[in-house]
């Protein structure tokens, strides 16, 4: 190129230059990796077979001990057989079973059959932390209700399948999630921690659970949705 007066990089062939440069970098990385592998196997060949076998056995034993300790920590008998833990597990198991039964069979015209939403909410509300249960339960209810209202309102306002509405819904989703996580991670009062977590969960769930549509909520107008949420 220097002999014929051509520049080192031509704007006309810029994409080709970038492609060839990427291929050269990839080839150099592969070569360095192959050299490291070759050195590693050369070192292994120089070691004595008996010493290598002893080291492999030691590694296997240590890995087995770590795995056994991890499994034992998951099924710790001192915790599993604790009366308070058993009572807590029995109460929540019964509550989730009732929620699954209601979701399976439904109830009148209020709950539709084959709906896992109730059991999912019950799973999110599980908590074993000590303290005032009434305050924590009210905080969770606040987060669930406010998050559901915000999600329903945002979806009803920006539910159309246009670029403007999708961009507005994305910005609303980002803002609500950011504020909720800020409340969750920076609140000194545990009550607001619960509110922030539930607010982030249920507001985003109600915003993105249903695809965009020009007919909000399968035939219901925006006014109907707003009336249901507000009144």
């Amino acid at each position: 190129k220097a002999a014929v007066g051509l520049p080192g990089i031509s704007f006309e062939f810029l994409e080709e230059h970038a492609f060839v440069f990427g291929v050269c970098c990839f080839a150099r990385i592969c070569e360095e990796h192959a050299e490291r592998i070759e050195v590693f196997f050369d070192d292994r060949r120089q070691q004595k077979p008996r010493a290598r076998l002893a080291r492999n056995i030691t590694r296997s034993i240590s890995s087995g001990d770590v795995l056994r300790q991890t499994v034992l920590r998951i099924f710790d008998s001192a915790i599993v057989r604790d009366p308070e833990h058993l009572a807590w597990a029995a109460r929540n198991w019964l509550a989730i079973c009732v929620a699954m039964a209601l979701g399976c069979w439904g109830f009148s015209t209020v709950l539709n059959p084959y709906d896992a939403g109730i059991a999912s909410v019950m799973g999110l509300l599980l908590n074993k932390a000590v303290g005032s249960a009434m305050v924590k339960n009210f905080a969770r209810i606040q987060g669930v209700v406010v998050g559901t209202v915000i999600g329903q309102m945002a979806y009803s306002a920006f539910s159309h399948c246009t670029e403007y509405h999708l961009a507005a819904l994305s910005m609303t989703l980002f803002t609500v999630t950011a504020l909720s996580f800020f409340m969750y991670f920076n609140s000194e009062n545990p009550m607001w921690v619960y509110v922030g977590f539930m607010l982030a969960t249920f507001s985003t769930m109600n915003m993105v659970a249903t695809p965009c549509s020009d007919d909000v909520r399968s035939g219901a107008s925006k006014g109907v949705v707003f009336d249901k949420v507000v009144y």
Side-chain angles (χ1 to χ4, degrees):
K1 290 184 178 180
V4 296
L6 293 176
I9 298 178
S10 175
F11 182 78
E12 183 179 0
F13 300 102
L14 188 60
E15 295 181 357
E16 287 77 3
H17 283 297
F19 175 76
V20 174
F21 180 74
V23 172
C24 293
C25 292
F26 180 73
R28 184 172 64 253
I29 294 173
C30 292
E31 182 184 3
E32 293 175 355
H33 183 64
E35 291 177 354
R36 287 195 295 268
I37 293 175
E38 185 178 4
V39 171
F40 172 76
F41 280 105
D42 288 341
D43 294 339
R44 287 176 62 92
R45 294 190 192 98
Q46 294 175 2
Q47 294 177 358
K48 295 181 179 180
R50 184 172 299 178
R52 187 167 63 248
L53 179 60
R55 189 180 68 252
N56 292 335
I57 293 175
T58 304
R59 288 181 180 177
S60 300
I61 294 175
S62 60
S63 301
D65 291 339
V66 171
L67 180 61
R68 182 174 58 84
Q69 293 175 3
T70 304
V71 174
L72 290 178
R73 281 199 298 267
I74 296 174
F75 301 99
D76 191 355
S77 59
I79 298 176
V80 173
R81 298 177 182 177
D82 183 57
E84 294 183 359
H85 178 76
L86 292 175
W88 178 84
R91 288 195 305 268
N92 289 280
W93 174 79
L94 181 61
I96 292 177
C97 287
V98 173
M100 291 180 65
L102 287 174
C104 180
W105 295 312
F107 179 76
S108 184
T109 58
V110 180
L111 301 176
N112 296 323
Y114 307 109
D115 186 5
I118 302 176
S120 301
V121 173
M122 290 295 299
L124 290 172
L125 294 177
L126 291 178
N127 188 16
K128 201 181 177 183
V130 296
S132 177
M134 184 66 69
V135 174
K136 294 175 183 177
N137 290 333
F138 274 119
R140 295 192 193 101
I141 292 173
Q142 279 183 313
V144 171
V145 173
V146 175
T148 302
V149 169
I150 292 176
Q152 291 281 342
M153 297 281 283
Y155 178 82
S156 301
F158 309 115
S159 62
H160 293 289
C161 298
T162 61
E163 295 181 357
Y164 167 76
H165 287 87
L166 293 177
L169 184 62
S170 301
M171 290 299 298
T172 305
L173 177 65
F174 174 79
T175 304
V176 172
T177 305
L179 293 176
S180 301
F181 277 114
F182 178 80
M183 182 188 301
Y184 177 75
F185 287 109
N186 294 275
S187 297
E188 296 181 358
N189 191 341
M191 184 185 71
W192 296 112
V193 174
Y194 294 123
V195 173
F197 176 73
M198 295 299 171
L199 185 64
T201 302
F202 286 91
S203 60
T204 55
M205 183 174 64
N206 282 275
M207 283 190 220
V208 302
T210 306
C212 64
S213 174
D214 292 333
D215 192 10
V216 183
R217 291 291 187 260
S218 299
S221 63
K222 290 185 178 181
V224 173
V225 177
F226 276 103
D227 289 340
K228 286 183 179 180
V229 172
V230 176
Y231 301 108

